[in-house]
């Protein structure tokens, strides 16, 4: 997981998410192959153990070397990317993957494969650190279209990885490694040819910043929760194939089903559960369900059918957990999101890397059920750790509309609401117009200004700045300075029309429905007379995967909701009378 800031020009009209330039398709294809990384080797674990005469604990080091190197790399990738630029970071990462995947396929012993998997982990960390930002920056289908495309790549990679690994592994255990090397070579060439150079951040990221960020209580709590979660997760991933007693082809089918549930529940189900029950409660239930599933595997480890069915079912819980844990990190952290992401990734990948190694030692000495019981205990322990930050997480969720994020001492430090201009006079109910990084934002503000002028109400312009969460990745839709500059322009334009106007930058984390809930809460706090928004240009695919902003706002807003189209300036006169009558 990493948090990224988009460098996109935020003016592209929304269209089909699949009508994109070659640069986007090049990176999207590489994303599919990259997301295959973990699941690709799962179907060949028993074959590696048998053909290379290695114990399961030795084979488990494929995960340990990969994840521990990824963890350490997470500290540095932000600093590297901010200095050499997104495209060069992508190219270097892809080149490293190609080289080390091919070397792993050429190895004749388990030690060589383990070592080359470590290099693969470094390349993957560099690639993942920038892939989402590059897709968003290069996409012409708007931000929603870029996210849909990335989610599609993620789902294909997670689901198809084990399937391809099983097919290639049924021919030879070397097949998955050579397959990744070949596919990533294609991606490397396409990225080098088609992806344009993108600007570097204005300020390079400090190498030590991620480690310093772990001093914050909220971030540390979520990181420790993730350590325990990943301990259980990678215990299952690394050792469940053995009691299944299947060949590589059938193992690929099992983990294909598992990966399919991971993708579906992370993208479609997790945001809706969070919106209904809250982040903490969903995580508690989810971790408990994973603990029960691991205990079932441990108790029935001699029954392949029980193990197979249970592993597939856990895909749903893992998908939910990945998304909501990432969202929780973004909520509680008072530091910049890329820094928080690097710190969190460092800690959680360490846990994921050590778990298979420890599980192997336990299995060799005490039997195969013991690692799964320990994994179940890790999931339950994660609930206890998360509970220590329950109040903190609750305050952070409320802080999206109350204006604060807690720091290590529960003191409000980082506003999620940033005021531009003088606020509306006390006792006067404002017309609130909410706009995002859309091409018709100025027109929508002018239309809302007409409503405010004719009803005698002050105008409050709210610029929505969203952090989208895609499974274990997060990205800011719009840079902070760009959003503030746009908001200042909206306010000045409204004042030129003779309207008393102020501006507010509203931050939200999650899908569009989460942004709508934050806006509704703010409108309630302000006793708004009207909330006005522009019509959504997004298509059905975006509404399905990201949640409907308009539908959620219509359900939860405590006042009149006005939907403004590009030609709505002429409708302001028609609306002014009825709205004035409402007081």
């Amino acid at each position: 997981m990493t948090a990224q800031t988009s460098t996109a020009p935020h003016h592209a009209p929304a269209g089909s998410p699949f009508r994109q330039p070659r640069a986007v398709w090049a990176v999207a294809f590489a994303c599919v192959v990259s997301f295959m990384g973990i699941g690709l080797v799962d179907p060949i674990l028993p074959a590696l153990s048998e053909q290379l005469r290695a114990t399961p604990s030795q084979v488990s080091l494929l995960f340990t070397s990969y994840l521990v190197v990824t963890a350490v790399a997470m500290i540095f990738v932000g600093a590297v990317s901010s200095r050499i630029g997104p495209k060069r970071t992508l190219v270097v990462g892809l080149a490293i993957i190609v080289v080390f995947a091919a070397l792993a396929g050429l190895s004749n012993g388990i030690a060589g494969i383990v070592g080359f998997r470590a290099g693969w982990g470094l390349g993957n960390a560099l690639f993942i650190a920038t892939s989402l930002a590059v897709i968003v920056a290069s996409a012409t289908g708007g931000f929603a279209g870029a996210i849909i495309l990335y989610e599609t790549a993620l789902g294909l990679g997670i689901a198809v990885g084990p399937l391809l690994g099983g097919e290639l592994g049924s021919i030879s255990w070397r097949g998955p490694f050579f397959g990744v090397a070949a596919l990533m070579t294609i991606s490397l060439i396409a990225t080098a040819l088609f992806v344009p150079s993108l600007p570097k951040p204005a300020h390079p990221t400090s190498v030590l910043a991620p480690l310093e960020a772990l001093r914050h209580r909220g971030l540390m709590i979520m990181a420790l929760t993730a350590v325990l979660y990943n301990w259980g997760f990678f215990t299952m991933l690394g050792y469940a194939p053995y009691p299944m007693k299947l060949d590589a082809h059938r193992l690929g089918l099992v983990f294909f089903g598992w990966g399919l549930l991971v993708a579906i529940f992370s993208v479609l189900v997790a945001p809706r559960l969070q919106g209904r029950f809250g982040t903490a409660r969903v995580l508690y239930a989810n971790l408990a369900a994973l603990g029960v599933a691991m205990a079932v595997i441990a108790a029935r480890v001699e029954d392949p059918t029980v193990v197979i069915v249970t592993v597939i079912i856990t895909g749903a819980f893992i998908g939910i957990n990945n998304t909501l844990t990432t969202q929780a990190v973004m909520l509680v952290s008072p530091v910049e999101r890329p820094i928080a992401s690097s710190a969190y990734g460092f800690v959680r990948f360490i846990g994921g890397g050590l778990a298979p190694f420890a599980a192997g030692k336990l299995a060799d000495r005490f039997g195969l059920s013991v690692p799964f019981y320990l994994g179940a205990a890790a999931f339950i322990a994660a609930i206890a750790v998360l509970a220590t930050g329950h109040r903190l997480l609750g305050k952070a969720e409320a802080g999206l509309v109350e204006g604060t994020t807690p720091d290590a001492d529960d003191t409000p430090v980082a506003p999620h609401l940033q005021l531009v201009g003088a606020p509306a006079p006390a006792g006067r109910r404002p017309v609130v117009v909410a706009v995002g990084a859309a091409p018709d934002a100025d027109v929508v503000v002018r239309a809302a200004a007409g409503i405010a002028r004719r009803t005698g109400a002050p105008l409050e312009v709210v610029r929505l700045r969203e952090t989208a969460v895609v499974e274990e990745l997060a990205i800011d839709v719009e840079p902070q300075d760009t959003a503030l500059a746009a908001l200042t322009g909206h306010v000045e334009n409204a004042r030129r029309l003779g309207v008393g106007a102020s501006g507010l930058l509203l931050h939200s984390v999650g899908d569009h429905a989460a942004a709508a809930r934050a806006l509704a809460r703010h409108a309630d706090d302000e006793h708004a007379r009207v909330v006005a928004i522009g019509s959504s240009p997004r298509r059905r695919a975006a509404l399905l995967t990201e949640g409907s902003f308009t539908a959620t706002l219509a359900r939860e807003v405590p006042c009149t909701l006005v939907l403004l189209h590009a030609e709505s300036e002429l409708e302001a006169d028609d609306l002014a009378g009825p709205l004035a009558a409402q007081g």
Side-chain angles (χ1 to χ4, degrees):
M1 183 275 295
T2 184
Q4 306 168 42
T5 299
S6 170
T7 56
H10 304 280
H11 308 291
S16 170
F18 301 106
R19 293 180 180 174
Q20 302 289 355
R22 291 178 295 181
V24 172
W25 286 111
V27 180
F29 179 73
C31 288
V32 173
V33 183
S34 175
F35 289 129
M36 291 178 181
I38 294 289
L40 195 76
V41 302
D42 237 44
I44 62 171
L45 295 180
L48 284 171
S49 179
E50 179 181 350
Q51 296 177 29
L52 297 180
R53 298 179 182 178
T55 65
S57 61
Q58 290 174 318
V59 175
S60 72
L61 293 176
L62 268 73
F63 290 103
T64 299
S65 63
Y66 180 88
L67 292 170
V68 169
V69 170
T70 299
V72 176
M74 290 300 295
I75 300 175
F76 303 100
V77 290
V80 171
S81 178
S82 65
R83 286 166 172 79
I84 69 174
K87 179 179 179 178
R88 288 182 181 176
T89 305
L90 278 182
V91 169
V92 171
L94 289 171
I96 291 174
I97 294 173
V98 169
V99 170
F100 283 97
L103 289 173
L106 292 170
S107 297
N108 293 315
I110 194 66
I113 299 174
V114 169
F116 294 131
R117 277 280 286 180
W120 187 342
L122 172 62
N124 206 52
L126 291 169
F127 174 77
I128 292 297
T130 48
S131 58
L132 179 55
V134 170
I135 282 185
V136 170
S138 305
T140 58
F143 176 75
I147 292 297
I148 292 171
L149 193 61
Y150 196 85
E151 288 169 343
T152 302
L154 180 147
L156 282 174
I158 291 175
V160 174
L163 197 62
L164 181 61
E167 293 299 321
L168 295 176
S170 64
I171 301 170
S172 168
W173 65 262
R174 301 178 191 271
F177 298 111
F178 288 135
V180 167
L183 293 173
M184 278 302 193
T185 298
I186 297 172
S187 302
L188 173 61
I189 295 171
T191 299
L193 291 177
F194 301 136
V195 175
S197 295
L198 297 171
K200 304 174 188 177
H203 306 287
T205 302
S206 168
V207 174
L208 297 178
L211 297 178
E212 294 173 351
L214 289 171
R215 294 182 301 173
H216 296 282
R217 178 170 172 257
L219 183 55
M220 179 57 78
I221 287 173
M222 292 311 307
L224 292 177
T225 300
V227 165
L228 294 165
Y229 160 67
N230 276 275
W231 188 284
F233 170 36
F234 282 102
T235 296
M236 184 200 70
L237 206 62
Y239 275 84
Y242 297 103
M244 291 182 189
K245 300 176 181 178
L246 299 174
D247 59 22
H249 173 73
R250 292 179 180 178
L251 278 173
L253 291 174
V254 169
F255 282 96
F256 168 73
W258 170 85
L260 200 59
L261 289 182
V262 171
I264 291 171
F265 277 75
S266 66
V267 173
L268 299 181
V269 179
R272 287 156 176 79
L273 290 176
Q274 188 274 339
R276 178 158 185 166
F277 300 108
T279 303
R281 284 196 287 177
V282 176
L283 284 175
Y284 292 146
N286 207 60
L287 289 167
L290 284 168
V292 170
M294 285 289 280
V296 168
I297 294 174
R300 302 293 299 277
V301 74
E302 300 299 329
D303 188 334
T305 301
V306 171
V307 176
I308 291 168
V309 173
T310 305
V311 166
I312 292 174
I313 291 173
T314 62
F317 303 125
I318 287 168
I320 294 169
N321 210 82
N322 288 347
T323 295
L324 294 193
T325 303
T326 304
Q327 184 163 322
V329 170
M330 295 301 112
L331 285 169
V332 303
S333 176
V335 299
E336 293 179 9
R337 291 190 172 108
I339 296 173
S341 173
S342 295
Y344 166 73
F346 165 67
V347 176
R348 77 182 184 92
F349 280 127
I350 287 289
L354 296 179
F357 174 74
K361 296 300 182 183
L362 291 171
D364 289 345
R365 184 165 183 178
F366 300 108
L368 197 53
S369 63
V370 174
F372 293 109
Y373 278 124
L374 181 59
F379 284 131
I380 301 305
I383 298 175
V385 173
L386 181 61
T388 65
H390 181 91
R391 177 169 167 265
L392 196 66
L393 184 55
K395 286 177 63 177
E397 286 192 285
L400 291 177
V401 290
E402 292 173 1
T404 61
T405 294
D407 71 356
D409 301 316
D410 290 352
T411 304
V413 293
H416 283 284
L417 297 173
Q418 293 182 248
L419 186 66
V420 173
R428 298 191 62 191
R429 299 174 61 194
V431 170
V432 175
V433 56
V435 292
D440 63 345
D442 288 332
V443 176
V444 171
V445 171
R446 286 200 302 271
I451 296 173
R453 183 176 61 249
R454 295 186 179 277
T455 56
L459 179 70
E460 182 180 76
V461 184
V462 176
R463 181 80 173 194
L464 295 171
R465 183 170 179 257
E466 299 175 64
T467 295
V469 175
V470 185
E471 218 245 355
E472 293 185 315
L473 298 163
I475 184 169
D476 290 332
V477 176
E478 188 176 36
Q480 176 101 346
D481 53 354
T482 302
L484 281 172
L487 177 60
T488 301
H490 295 325
V491 172
E492 291 175 352
N493 289 339
R495 288 174 177 170
R496 291 191 191 100
L497 296 173
V499 176
S502 61
L504 204 63
L505 188 63
L506 175 61
H507 299 237
S508 73
V509 176
D511 62 0
H512 287 296
R517 287 189 292 270
L519 179 61
R521 285 279 302 276
H522 174 68
D524 189 28
D525 292 342
E526 293 294 302
H527 306 290
R529 174 194 299 259
V530 177
V531 171
I533 60 173
S535 58
S536 173
R538 295 183 302 138
R539 301 192 176 192
R540 290 185 179 180
L543 297 176
L544 176 64
T545 59
E546 297 181 351
S548 172
F549 180 89
T550 304
T552 303
L553 191 61
R555 285 195 309 270
E556 301 195 16
V557 74
C559 59
T560 301
L561 177 64
V562 176
L563 186 64
L564 299 172
H565 298 274
E567 63 275 10
S568 291
E569 285 183 286
L570 299 177
E571 300 173 7
D573 290 341
D574 299 329
L575 291 166
L579 293 175
Q582 294 180 16

